[in-house]
Amino acid sequence: MLLFNTQKELVSHLNSVSNETTSIGFVPTMGALHAGHLSLLEESMKHNAINVISIFVNPTQFNNAEDLAKYPKTLESDIAKIKTLSDSIIVFAPSIDDIYEGKTVASPFNFDGLEHQMEGKFRPGHFDGVGTIVKRLFEIVKPNNAYFGEKDFQQLQIVKKLVEKNKIPVIVVGCPIYREPNGLAMSSRNERLTDEERKKAAIIYQTITEARKMFATKSAKEITDFVNKVFDKSTDFELEYFQIADETTLLPCLRKSKTKKYRAFIAVFVNKIRLIDTISLN
Ligand code: PAF
């Protein structure tokens, strides 16, 4: 395994081991790796000769200083996990200065409205931060294929839009959500949950699974009312939003159309820890 802490060193290494015909696979992460991240790397390794993973907690995508401060940073154990897959994976773990060169600010992006829904409403500026770092990382790594988890489905659609609008020559691949045995979607933030909270967090997947069952016969409003009631009754979990939306435009579903694909999106707080999940409905 090769570890690079500066873009200069990484780029110089990639230039020395690749040419136009070498396929580079890339998995951008913020570390605190779990089985979901490793599955992205495995997918990358199936299709690419060179595989790069970045580990960088990007400050410009956090709208909440406490969330940023408490974001788990576990580089050593991340590296140990990567080594279990292969010794040839390239790890890029730059400093904030190396990436932002003294100007730690996000650039403004227009993602044709995708950025104004759900996460965008509740985390102002979040997708400008994501757009800024993903574009920067794509410019540095120049991957042929980049792998993102579907748990952050809105982010996945936004990265696809970023690539389309900026004509970046990379294929963005969405990969299935990895779940704990109780259904909780794997997330680096789960590390901050107590054992009890982790167990109880099964309510999130149970509720959206029920929403999927209801989708065949109930309206989006009826399902949303049901989800609100579930969380009104809960003393541990606070619902931030539940939305049934068109998978492509991310606009809320007001009346179901047979020709459209829909998804449920949810964000929930447990003891100030924010968890999100999503499920395809049809
Ligand atoms: O999904 C994440 O972990 C982050 O948003 C990403 C894509 C690595 C950008 O910082």
Side-chain angles (χ1 to χ4, degrees):
M1 195 222 59
L2 283 170
L3 171 64
F4 295 100
N5 297 116
T6 67
Q7 41 177 307
K8 204 169 159 208
E9 288 165 316
L10 174 73
V11 169
S12 139
H13 175 74
L14 287 175
N15 286 343
S16 71
V17 292
S18 62
N19 58 38
E20 296 89 76
T21 62
T22 322
S23 176
I24 300 180
F26 178 43
V27 178
T29 80
M30 297 205 295
L33 301 185
H34 50 67
H37 292 118
L38 298 185
S39 76
L40 300 181
L41 267 177
E42 281 174 322
E43 194 54 29
S44 175
M45 285 158 61
K46 277 190 215 153
H47 304 282
N48 302 281
I50 292 178
N51 298 281
V52 182
I53 178 169
S54 63
I55 297 180
F56 178 66
V57 181
N58 173 37
T60 66
Q61 71 186 72
F62 286 82
N63 58 314
N64 176 326
E66 189 182 342
D67 192 23
L68 171 60
K70 293 204 167 148
Y71 203 86
K73 292 177 192 78
T74 56
L75 185 60
E76 251 176 59
S77 71
D78 288 347
I79 288 175
K81 286 176 190 165
I82 295 166
K83 278 190 186 158
T84 64
L85 293 186
S86 157
D87 269 340
S88 66
I89 294 169
I90 297 170
V91 181
F92 179 43
S95 65
I96 293 177
D97 249 15
D98 188 65
I99 291 291
Y100 283 101
E101 294 164 353
K103 244 185 120 195
T104 314
V105 287
S107 309
F109 283 88
N110 174 347
F111 295 116
D112 294 348
L114 295 177
E115 72 276 30
H116 300 314
Q117 302 301 319
M118 302 174 289
E119 291 299 286
K121 269 189 204 146
F122 289 93
R123 302 184 68 190
H126 171 64
F127 288 119
D128 282 340
V130 170
T132 303
I133 188 62
V134 172
K135 186 162 177 283
R136 189 78 207 97
L137 290 170
F138 282 171
E139 283 160 0
I140 297 167
V141 179
K142 295 193 176 49
N144 300 79
N145 301 295
Y147 300 83
F148 292 81
E150 284 185 348
K151 180 175 74 69
D152 298 289
F153 194 86
Q154 186 172 9
Q155 168 174 277
L156 172 64
Q157 298 298 65
I158 278 181
V159 171
K160 285 182 179 166
K161 185 64 80 178
L162 171 84
V163 162
E164 178 197 314
K165 288 190 107 173
N166 291 279
K167 300 189 174 52
I168 305 172
V170 56
I171 295 169
V172 176
V173 184
C175 301
I177 299 177
Y178 253 60
R179 296 186 179 278
E180 312 258 354
N182 71 356
L184 174 65
M186 288 197 185
S187 161
S188 304
R189 287 190 175 83
N190 294 357
E191 294 225 346
R192 294 175 53 203
L193 300 172
T194 62
D195 288 349
E196 193 59 21
E197 286 165 349
R198 205 177 261 245
K199 246 191 252 160
K200 287 186 178 169
I203 189 175
I204 302 170
Y205 185 57
Q206 278 160 8
T207 309
I208 59 173
T209 305
E210 193 53 39
R212 184 174 57 185
K213 281 189 207 142
M214 292 170 76
F215 192 72
T217 54
K218 305 274 187 233
S219 70
K221 177 165 183 328
E222 285 168 316
I223 300 169
T224 307
D225 289 346
F226 157 77
V227 173
N228 276 311
K229 272 192 202 128
V230 169
F231 285 96
D232 280 350
K233 276 191 230 138
S234 164
T235 46
D236 303 293
F237 295 86
E238 194 192 321
L239 182 66
E240 185 171 59
Y241 67 78
F242 172 81
Q243 185 160 312
I244 294 179
D246 179 314
E247 211 172 81
T248 313
T249 62
L250 302 181
L251 290 172
C253 163
L254 302 175
R255 192 146 27 94
K256 286 191 259 181
S257 152
K258 286 211 171 80
T259 58
K260 288 185 175 163
K261 288 276 291 159
Y262 295 101
R263 237 171 210 279
F265 296 84
I266 191 166
V268 167
F269 278 101
V270 49
N271 191 17
K272 291 199 186 158
I273 302 161
R274 192 168 181 278
L275 303 173
I276 62 169
D277 204 345
T278 175
I279 196 164
S280 163
L281 296 175
N282 62 340

